[in-house]
Amino acid sequence: QSALTQPASVSGSPGQSITISCTGASSDIYDYKASSDSYDYNYVSWYQQHPGKAPKLLIYEVNSRPSGVPDRFSGSKSGNTASLTISGLQAEDEADYYCTSCTRSGSALRFGGGTKLTVL
Amino acid sequence: QVQLVESGGGVVQPGKSLRLSCVASGFSFNIYAMHWVRQAPGKGLEWVALIWYDGRNEYYVDSVKGRFTISRDNSKNTLYLQMDSLRAEDTAVYYCARLTTAWSLDYWGQGTLVTVSS
């Protein structure tokens, strides 16, 4: 069972925007700060994987993009849920998308179950 | 450019052993932590193991603890995964990947397929 929960599938038409959520279900992947009623959940990354290919890093530290990743891809976080938004959908965006976060102890990486994006 | 090339996969019987290798090039291997991640056929990605840059610390997913050993030889720019007591459920494509300080995997190998079957 994944410590991070993602929808199994999402779909959209070319040119549209879609959002994929990633919800932390385990307390060891983020710190709850009672003083601010917030979650320290900053080491969230997102990956894109096309069939038969290795995953590719899209987003790190919640909302940063590696060099070469189009700005159509963006990340955000609210409470214990991180999100990946893809705007201006293109046919080549059809792929599987995974979120990850490290455990609070820094001794493991957790993957979400993955979301299959279909471009209609 | 950064390259990670895995090898060592194949078909193996349940209970047997296999060692995977991942040769790194194009970067200073000895200053990066490295991971193994696997993907069973038709399934999602699963983190398997992590080793710190100097090899001093290793961590594993519960399902492989006591059976798999991650190691590295920084003089050879090579990461290893020794897999013992293999089970059918270990059948997967195994990827090695480089860890950044932001806990993201910025470079991945092409993967090597391990099939555990009698």
Side-chain angles (χ1 to χ4, degrees):
Chain A
Q1 184 176 357
S2 299
L4 301 174
T5 301
Q6 300 180 230
S9 63
V10 297
S11 62
S13 300
Q16 287 186 333
S17 295
I18 62 96
T19 296
I20 300 172
S21 61
C22 172
T23 301
S26 170
S27 61
D28 76 341
I29 60 171
Y30 56 81
D31 286 318
Y32 174 68
K33 296 180 179 179
S35 59
S36 57
D37 190 23
S38 65
Y39 295 88
D40 184 2
Y41 188 44
N42 292 324
Y43 287 141
V44 176
S45 300
W46 290 92
Y47 301 85
Q48 176 191 61
Q49 187 183 33
H50 287 106
K53 301 292 187 182
K56 172 189 173 184
L57 179 63
L58 284 180
I59 298 287
Y60 64 97
E61 283 186 313
V62 178
N63 55 14
S64 297
R65 280 186 309 275
S67 171
V69 173
D71 59 7
R72 302 186 296 105
F73 295 90
S74 63
S76 62
K77 178 190 69 169
S78 177
N80 67 334
T81 297
S83 298
L84 172 71
T85 298
I86 309 174
S87 57
L89 269 179
Q90 300 180 2
E92 58 262 37
D93 297 333
E94 185 161 294
D96 294 323
Y97 292 82
Y98 296 89
C99 62
T100 65
S101 181
C102 68
T103 59
R104 186 166 50 193
S105 61
S107 62
L109 198 62
R110 296 286 184 250
F111 279 90
T115 299
K116 181 176 179 59
L117 168 62
T118 301
V119 180
L120 302 170
Chain B
Q1 71 280 22
V2 173
Q3 274 199 310
L4 297 170
V5 179
E6 302 98 337
S7 62
V11 180
V12 62
Q13 292 179 330
K16 300 295 187 181
S17 300
L18 207 59
R19 188 175 84 155
L20 306 183
S21 299
C22 168
V23 176
S25 60
F27 66 102
S28 298
F29 180 71
N30 61 353
I31 63 172
Y32 283 90
M34 298 293 295
H35 289 248
W36 286 100
V37 175
R38 68 184 178 184
Q39 186 169 36
K43 301 297 184 181
L45 298 169
E46 179 184 36
W47 173 77
V48 175
L50 155 67
I51 187 167
W52 286 122
Y53 69 99
D54 56 1
R56 284 186 157 186
N57 291 293
E58 314 157 21
Y59 303 98
Y60 303 89
V61 69
D62 285 347
S63 60
V64 308
K65 281 180 183 175
R67 300 188 301 120
F68 288 13
T69 303
I70 188 172
S71 63
R72 63 192 297 160
D73 185 338
N74 285 345
S75 69
K76 296 182 179 179
N77 288 347
T78 302
L79 175 73
Y80 302 100
L81 185 67
Q82 176 67 39
M83 303 185 294
D84 298 323
S85 302
L86 281 162
R87 305 168 180 168
E89 54 265 36
D90 296 319
T91 294
V93 174
Y94 285 74
Y95 297 98
C96 64
R98 187 179 85 167
L99 180 70
T100 72
T101 54
W103 272 86
S104 61
L105 303 175
D106 61 347
Y107 286 95
W108 298 64
Q110 84 287 353
T112 187
L113 176 62
V114 173
T115 303
V116 183
S117 174
S118 55

